[in-house]
Amino acid sequence: MTERRATRQLKAREKARARTAERRQREQQLEDLATTWFEADDAIADKESAAEEKIRKYTEKVRGEVEKETGKLREQMTEVAGRMLELTGVRSVAERLGVAEAAVREIKATLDGTAAASAGEASPSLGAPVTAPSSSHVVSPPSPAPAIEAPVANEGSAALPG
């Protein structure tokens, strides 16, 4: 009977060792797969971070180019508004351009400041550069307007200084 018991015990140990070996092998596979998962996840995070940096740099570049291009147009807008202010008041210019009177007053103050800075010189000519007001107050010019008509006699605001 001892042989049978020893044989059974031996078979049970072998069976237990086989199961333990299978579990260890499965655990090792799971650990290897989890490692691969985390490596891929880290690689994705690195690539996304690099992409965000590229996007940020490209955005800065494009914004700089646009600011340079629109700066000239803002100067042109300021010059046009200044010429309009020579002909009529702030309210009339604001209504005609469809912008707030405050924006026109800011342009006028900028032009007056530029004129005061160049004391002794003639007022800015048509070709002279004019400093544009900050972009937060400048409104893009409206779509092409119809031809300017002669002033009407009832337009009292045009005769009043701005």
Side-chain angles (χ1 to χ4, degrees):
M1 187 112 184
T2 52
E3 287 181 341
R4 284 185 147 188
R5 186 171 179 202
T7 306
R8 276 190 267 165
Q9 203 174 27
L10 187 59
K11 287 182 181 179
R13 284 181 194 259
E14 286 175 10
K15 191 176 181 179
R17 284 184 189 132
R19 283 192 172 182
T20 302
E22 287 175 12
R23 279 191 218 131
R24 284 184 189 145
Q25 183 181 7
R26 191 171 41 237
E27 283 296 319
Q28 185 61 45
Q29 286 177 340
L30 288 171
E31 186 177 323
D32 291 345
L33 291 170
T35 300
T36 302
W37 168 277
F38 290 120
E39 287 173 348
D41 189 44
D42 288 345
I44 289 171
D46 290 345
K47 288 188 182 294
E48 287 176 346
S49 176
E52 288 297 322
E53 182 63 20
K54 278 183 175 180
I55 290 168
R56 186 189 62 76
K57 286 181 179 180
Y58 184 73
T59 300
E60 286 178 9
K61 177 184 172 189
V62 170
R63 283 189 178 138
E65 291 171 359
V66 167
E67 191 62 35
K68 190 186 307 182
E69 292 171 5
T70 59
K72 294 175 185 176
L73 295 171
R74 291 183 199 292
E75 288 178 12
Q76 181 182 9
M77 289 171 61
T78 301
E79 184 178 328
V80 167
R83 289 172 46 200
M84 291 175 78
L85 286 167
E86 291 173 4
L87 301 173
T88 188
V90 171
R91 180 175 292 152
S92 178
V93 171
E95 287 175 7
R96 189 171 299 272
L97 296 178
V99 297
E101 288 182 34
V104 177
R105 282 192 182 92
E106 185 175 323
I107 292 170
K108 184 176 182 181
T110 302
L111 293 172
D112 290 346
T114 304
S118 61
E121 294 180 23
S123 62
S125 65
L126 297 179
V130 179
T131 306
S134 66
S135 62
S136 62
H137 295 292
V138 174
V139 178
S140 298
S143 58
I148 299 174
E149 299 175 13
V152 178
N154 291 347
E155 217 173 59
S157 63
L160 297 175

